[in-house]
Amino acid sequence: MEEDIDTRKINNSFLRDHSYATEADIISTVEFNHTGELLATGDKGGRVVIFQREQESKNQVHRRGEYNVYSTFQSHEPEFDYLKSLEIEEKINKIRWLPQQNAAYFLLSTNDKTVKLWKVSERDKRPEGYNLKDEEGRLRDPATITTLRVPVLRPMDLMVEATPRRVFANAHTYHINSISVNSDYETYMSADDLRINLWNFEITNQSFNIVDIKPANMEELTEVITAAEFHPHHCNTFVYSSSKGTIRLCDMRASALCDRHTKFFEEPEDPSNRSFFSEIISSISDVKFSHSGRYIMTRDYLTVKVWDLNMENRPIETYQVHDYLRSKLCSLYENDCIFDKFECVWNGSDRRLAQATRACPLMKAAPVAVLGGTGILLRPSTQRCRRFVSTSCLCPLFGLPHLRTKCHHDRLVQQLLQDV
């Protein structure tokens, strides 16, 4: 017991050593699976690290958020498009879990151009006693085989393997900003700045374009797609947001190309708040359906808004994330911080929502007044957290996780979530 305590102390001091952090270690996305047992993180180095909730912490309330490293793998590598003379960085933009159907886990990860389907599985037995292979795995001469053996499975140390099952590439001209798994679990969509494509998990060389807002003349372009998500229950319905601060609800039953929306959500702008930066700060960076499918949450630079699907003219709730920054927009514009993108998320009961910010060192979980709940304010204690809190997720069961690990790569996850 004493040894464990000492190890934790050494580990905490090690994590606070800023000299070990590199650009590739910066976490770009986080995502819980549907049960909250696993948490996947992606970073700028193209790596995916999966954490698993400690088994002994399930029955202890004060330790419910403790996670340890479960698996680490390299999802994407840097590439170069020779036809366009374009470098494709390996940074993971989004991760999405598929519902678990068997003992293995499946997740989607994407960088700017390519989406990959990964299978994460455990193996604690190995086959032995092959007839055509020796103990070292080399092929044997059939002429030397005089008897036949029945292969057997022998116990071995637990091994977690991550294998790529599908690679969905060459379908996006612009950078992918969103992926969303459909409720039929057979299809998913990927969105870039101007198009949204529908994929089948079994078909990697063909996708269907369901939204295309690219004008014939690019000089007439006035807005871009910033985020997209499927409805949690209706496989034909999805929403996407734009840089103009609008949300469009589309129904794929209406037409193959959803160039006409079913519903259009937009809040009229207050003329008294109009400024040079209005169009920039009104751009929606993330959109999420509630688990019930009744509400939509959107995140722009200064606010989080909750919309009712039955009311298009204004949101039912607006949360001022950091309204005091309105007087500092000029400075934020000069150092490009005004163009930062942030995520938002519902918890499992739709009673709370979380969002993240880079402009100030806080992660704020606000109550949803129409649904009930109480507010929680989480404030990282270190200066370094100011740089990295640009993505957020809530455990479907217990809220934010507390991670504890000795893995070199994961000290940023530890720093962000252990010290809040």
Side-chain angles (χ1 to χ4, degrees):
M1 182 66 181
E2 187 67 27
E3 183 179 354
D4 293 340
I5 296 176
D6 293 340
T7 302
R8 295 178 190 179
K9 290 181 179 178
I10 295 173
N11 192 30
N12 289 342
S13 61
F14 174 70
L15 290 170
R16 291 186 175 89
D17 191 343
H18 295 188
S19 62
Y20 288 94
T22 65
E23 185 73 15
D25 291 325
I26 296 178
I27 296 170
S28 55
T29 184
V30 291
E31 184 76 10
F32 277 103
N33 72 337
H34 295 75
T35 63
E37 292 293 322
L38 299 179
L39 171 67
T41 68
D43 62 21
K44 287 191 172 183
R47 292 165 294 188
V48 172
V49 180
I50 301 176
F51 297 88
Q52 185 179 45
R53 187 156 61 97
E54 288 188 354
Q55 298 299 317
E56 60 269 21
S57 70
K58 292 182 179 181
N59 299 323
Q60 303 178 31
V61 177
H62 66 284
R63 297 185 59 191
R64 279 183 173 179
E66 293 189 357
Y67 284 69
N68 284 325
V69 174
Y70 179 67
S71 177
T72 303
F73 59 92
Q74 187 72 31
S75 175
H76 289 74
E77 300 282 353
E79 302 176 14
F80 188 81
D81 189 335
Y82 292 96
L83 293 178
K84 299 179 180 178
S85 297
L86 179 67
E87 291 185 1
I88 304 174
E89 61 180 358
E90 64 273 29
K91 184 189 78 169
I92 306 299
N93 292 338
K94 295 289 181 181
I95 294 175
R96 291 292 181 266
W97 291 91
L98 277 67
Q100 188 176 6
Q101 305 293 335
N102 48 43
Y105 301 96
F106 290 86
L107 62 85
L108 290 171
S109 63
T110 182
N111 64 352
D112 288 339
K113 299 292 183 180
T114 304
V115 183
K116 294 184 179 182
L117 175 64
W118 291 88
K119 176 184 178 181
V120 181
S121 57
E122 298 180 354
R123 184 156 62 94
D124 58 359
K125 294 181 175 61
R126 66 173 182 269
E128 291 183 357
Y130 287 110
N131 290 287
L132 298 179
K133 294 181 181 179
D134 58 19
E135 298 301 329
E136 297 180 359
R138 294 174 299 189
L139 293 177
R140 299 172 58 187
D141 184 1
T144 62
I145 301 175
T146 57
T147 60
L148 294 178
R149 298 180 295 177
V150 178
V152 295
L153 294 175
R154 302 292 185 189
M156 59 175 288
D157 293 337
L158 179 65
M159 179 183 299
V160 181
E161 299 176 321
T163 54
R165 300 303 301 269
R166 302 282 189 276
V167 178
F168 307 90
N170 305 320
H172 286 276
T173 304
Y174 307 96
H175 291 175
I176 298 173
N177 55 47
S178 299
I179 53 176
S180 179
V181 179
N182 202 345
S183 59
D184 61 10
Y185 307 136
E186 295 182 0
T187 57
Y188 77 94
M189 68 178 175
S190 57
D192 62 27
D193 293 339
L194 298 179
R195 296 185 179 95
I196 299 177
N197 293 332
L198 180 67
W199 299 83
N200 187 292
F201 282 112
E202 301 298 326
I203 303 173
T204 61
N205 58 357
Q206 185 180 24
S207 63
F208 299 93
N209 181 233
I210 55 177
V211 173
D212 189 346
I213 66 171
K214 182 179 179 181
N217 183 1
M218 287 296 289
E219 294 181 357
E220 300 175 358
L221 182 66
T222 59
E223 62 180 336
V224 296
I225 298 171
T226 56
E229 184 172 76
F230 270 117
H231 192 280
H233 306 301
H234 305 306
C235 61
N236 54 281
T237 307
F238 68 93
V239 296
Y240 68 92
S241 58
S242 78
S243 57
K244 278 190 171 182
T246 61
I247 309 106
R248 292 173 173 84
L249 179 73
C250 300
D251 191 337
M252 291 188 292
R253 295 173 300 182
S255 62
L257 182 64
C258 299
D259 51 354
R260 295 184 179 180
H261 49 266
T262 303
K263 290 190 175 183
F264 183 77
F265 301 86
E266 183 179 23
E267 183 178 19
E269 184 181 9
D270 185 355
S272 62
N273 293 330
R274 180 71 182 176
S275 69
F276 172 79
F277 307 104
S278 296
E279 293 186 3
I280 301 175
I281 62 177
S282 65
S283 175
I284 296 175
S285 58
D286 196 17
V287 58
K288 289 290 195 312
F289 271 108
S290 64
H291 295 85
S292 65
R294 173 69 183 274
Y295 304 99
I296 300 174
M297 175 170 53
T298 61
R299 173 74 159 96
D300 57 38
Y301 194 75
L302 297 180
T303 64
V304 174
K305 298 176 181 178
V306 178
W307 301 77
D308 191 318
L309 288 184
N310 297 326
M311 187 166 66
E312 305 174 41
N313 58 342
R314 61 184 176 86
I316 57 175
E317 293 290 340
T318 300
Y319 302 100
Q320 302 295 333
V321 180
H322 40 211
D323 197 50
Y324 59 88
L325 289 179
R326 288 187 183 275
S327 61
K328 302 176 177 64
L329 293 179
C330 185
S331 300
L332 295 171
Y333 179 79
E334 291 176 355
N335 59 23
D336 289 340
C337 286
I338 199 172
F339 300 104
D340 288 347
K341 306 298 182 183
F342 307 106
E343 297 181 9
C344 57
V345 67
W346 300 88
N347 77 332
S349 64
D350 291 341
R351 293 175 58 86
R352 291 186 176 92
L353 55 90
Q355 59 80 33
T357 179
R358 176 179 178 179
C360 58
L362 60 84
M363 183 179 294
K364 189 174 183 181
V368 181
V370 69
L371 303 177
T374 56
I376 303 172
L377 181 64
L378 304 175
R379 191 180 299 273
S381 60
T382 60
Q383 180 73 14
R384 196 175 79 187
C385 289
R386 297 173 185 264
R387 295 183 56 201
F388 303 131
V389 185
S390 59
T391 182
S392 62
C393 67
L394 280 179
C395 176
L397 301 179
F398 306 115
L400 288 170
H402 171 85
L403 303 181
R404 188 180 64 198
T405 172
K406 301 177 185 178
C407 180
H408 172 80
H409 162 71
D410 306 309
R411 52 180 67 92
L412 290 183
V413 181
Q414 176 85 346
Q415 190 68 43
L416 283 175
L417 299 178
Q418 183 180 15
D419 292 338
V420 294

